[in-house]
């Protein structure tokens, strides 16, 4: 039996309010266990409970290790709705590096690709919706990161003075979220994510 038939990799559209794990931390929390995912798959990375979008789960430990290993620097693309309209100074800070707190220390983020988008996106509605305030405009950013610190995008936009209201991850590596609806999933292959990058040979992970 080949590795491709033994292992399974899933692209899942994580809804808002769902933990990126199979067991709740407190009673009543929604988890990955609510969506009929195949047995034996585990999340290759995380999305915060209040974030949405593409989450990769796999039973292939080598693939999970490669996706999580910082040295591989797989791009992650996010659509981010922020409060107010970021100015050029804020965009430059996001692009060149922003000081955020990670645990007990200050961390300088790696350079990122940041675009101020001209209009809203045709995204599935969030449940519950983002609170609308007529007096406060909002804007959408498209951020591409090659790292994934805890709540990094939210910490980055807050550090520049433009708090995140909604966060949707739309791509990891070569794999895009596409038209998956919240709560839906489908099977993918490692090359769908990595492109031509090979999964490394057997190793302890």
């Amino acid at each position: 039996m080949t590795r491709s038939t033994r292992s399974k990799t899933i692209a899942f559209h994580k809804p808002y309010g769902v933990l990126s794990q199979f067991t709740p931390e407190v009673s009543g929390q929604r988890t990955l266990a609510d969506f009929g995912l195949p047995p034996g798959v585990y999340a290759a990375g995380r999305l915060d409970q209040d974030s949405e979008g593409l989450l990769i789960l796999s039973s292939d430990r080598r693939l999970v290790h490669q996706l999580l290993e910082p040295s591989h620097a797989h791009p992650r693309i996010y659509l981010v709705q922020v409060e107010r309209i970021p100015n050029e100074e804020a965009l430059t800070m996001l692009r060149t590096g922003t000081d955020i707190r990670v645990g007990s220390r200050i961390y300088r983020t790696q350079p990122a690709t940041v675009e101020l988008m001209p209009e809203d996106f045709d995204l599935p509605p969030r449940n519950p919706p983002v609170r609308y305030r007529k007096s406060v405009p909002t804007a959408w950013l498209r951020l591409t990161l090659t790292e994934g610190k805890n709540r990094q995008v939210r910490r980055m936009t807050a550090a520049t003075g433009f708090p995140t209201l909604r966060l949707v991850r739309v791509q990891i590596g070569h794999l895009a979220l596409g038209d998956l609806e919240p709560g839906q999933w489908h099977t993918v292959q490692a090359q769908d994510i990595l492109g031509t990058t090979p999964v490394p040979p057997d190793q302890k992970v």
Side-chain angles (χ1 to χ4, degrees):
M1 183 180 293
T2 65
R3 169 167 290 275
S4 61
T5 57
R6 291 201 312 267
S7 61
K8 180 164 286 190
T9 301
I10 298 298
F12 174 61
H13 187 158
K14 189 191 86 66
Y16 176 86
V18 175
L19 294 181
S20 296
Q21 59 195 50
F22 286 90
T23 55
E25 295 174 348
V26 297
S27 178
Q29 287 180 320
R30 299 179 73 198
T31 72
L32 300 178
D34 298 335
F35 297 93
L37 294 165
V41 296
Y42 299 93
R46 300 178 66 86
L47 279 172
D48 301 323
Q49 185 175 2
D50 48 358
S51 298
E52 311 158 63
L54 181 60
L55 186 68
I56 294 172
L57 301 98
S58 182
S59 59
D60 187 339
R61 292 187 301 164
R62 294 183 300 165
L63 175 60
V64 172
H65 176 73
Q66 186 165 1
L67 291 173
L68 295 179
E69 174 55 49
S71 63
H72 292 295
H74 297 295
R76 303 163 177 86
I77 301 178
Y78 302 85
L79 298 181
V80 189
Q81 186 183 26
V82 295
E83 191 174 90
R84 301 184 297 111
I85 313 298
N87 53 30
E88 194 57 39
E89 179 183 2
L91 296 176
T92 298
M93 289 176 63
L94 294 171
R95 290 171 180 142
T96 58
T98 307
D99 290 336
I100 61 174
R101 181 170 293 279
V102 178
S104 60
R105 67 187 183 95
I106 300 298
Y107 174 76
R108 183 77 168 183
T109 62
Q110 297 295 317
T113 301
V114 183
E115 302 171 69
L116 180 61
M117 306 305 287
E119 57 187 23
D120 288 357
F121 300 93
D122 185 22
L123 291 171
R126 201 190 78 171
N127 184 23
V130 173
R131 184 166 67 94
Y132 174 72
R133 290 191 292 171
K134 187 176 181 179
S135 61
V136 181
T138 65
W140 281 93
L141 302 175
R142 179 183 171 96
L143 271 71
T144 303
L145 306 182
T146 55
E147 58 180 350
K149 302 297 183 183
N150 180 43
R151 297 182 70 84
Q152 179 168 340
V153 172
R154 295 179 185 277
R155 294 178 191 275
M156 288 173 66
T157 65
T160 63
F162 299 88
T164 291
L165 299 174
R166 187 179 182 188
L167 176 60
V168 184
R169 185 161 63 194
V170 295
Q171 187 165 329
I172 299 174
H174 293 266
L175 181 65
L177 181 64
D179 58 2
L180 271 182
E181 293 292 324
Q184 291 184 344
W185 57 270
H186 61 75
T187 302
V188 297
Q189 303 298 320
Q191 58 265 32
D192 297 330
I193 309 164
L194 304 176
T196 58
T197 304
V199 177
D202 284 329
Q203 58 183 296
K204 291 182 179 180
V205 294

